[in-house]
Amino acid sequence: QVQLVESGGGSVQTGGSLRLSCKYSGATDSGYRVCLAWFRQYPGAEREGIASTASSGDDYYLGSVRDRFIISQDNAENTVYLQMNNLKFEDTAMYYCAAVLATFCTGAFNPDRYDYWGQGTQVTVSS
């Protein structure tokens, strides 16, 4: 079992920045990698992957957030971050951290590939 706790959401004006944090615990010494990704969800819509890390060292981003969002991971702190810059109104959503235990992290954006989810943190961007 992996537990995920997100923090850092809030309200910001367009052009502003926020940093989301997701601290993970449990199964970190299972021998499997903890593969992590960030998703967001608009009301009435499916969750969409926006940033993920892969075992190859590559990071993947949804096109609309590339060059504005940065995913990073601190293994010593068991925390993954999402730095969000130049926020836009359309970034308003509930943001989720997701994890899956695997031998190799592919950086997939398919939410069905992830077994563990945080409780979500709301990001609201206003003009």
Side-chain angles (χ1 to χ4, degrees), residues 34-99:
V34 181
C35 304
L36 295 152
W38 286 98
F39 288 75
R40 68 184 178 191
Q41 187 172 25
Y42 301 112
E46 298 291 322
R47 292 180 186 181
E48 63 175 5
I50 56 173
S52 64
T53 62
S55 297
S56 62
D58 295 322
D59 298 329
Y60 297 98
Y61 296 95
L62 182 69
S64 61
V65 309
R66 189 175 292 120
D67 298 329
R68 298 189 298 121
F69 291 9
I70 301 171
I71 187 171
S72 61
Q73 191 168 341
D74 185 336
N75 292 325
E77 295 294 327
N78 287 353
T79 301
V80 61
Y81 301 97
L82 185 68
Q83 177 66 43
M84 305 187 295
N85 301 318
N86 190 21
L87 282 160
K88 303 177 180 181
F89 175 76
E90 52 265 37
D91 295 319
T92 297
M94 185 70 79
Y95 285 71
Y96 295 90
C97 175

Side-chain angles (χ1 to χ4, degrees), residues 1-4 24-28 34 99-101 116-117:
Q1 290 288 334
V2 177
Q3 293 79 43
L4 304 168
Y24 54 93
S25 60
T28 55
V34 181
V100 61
L101 298 176
Y116 306 101
W117 294 84

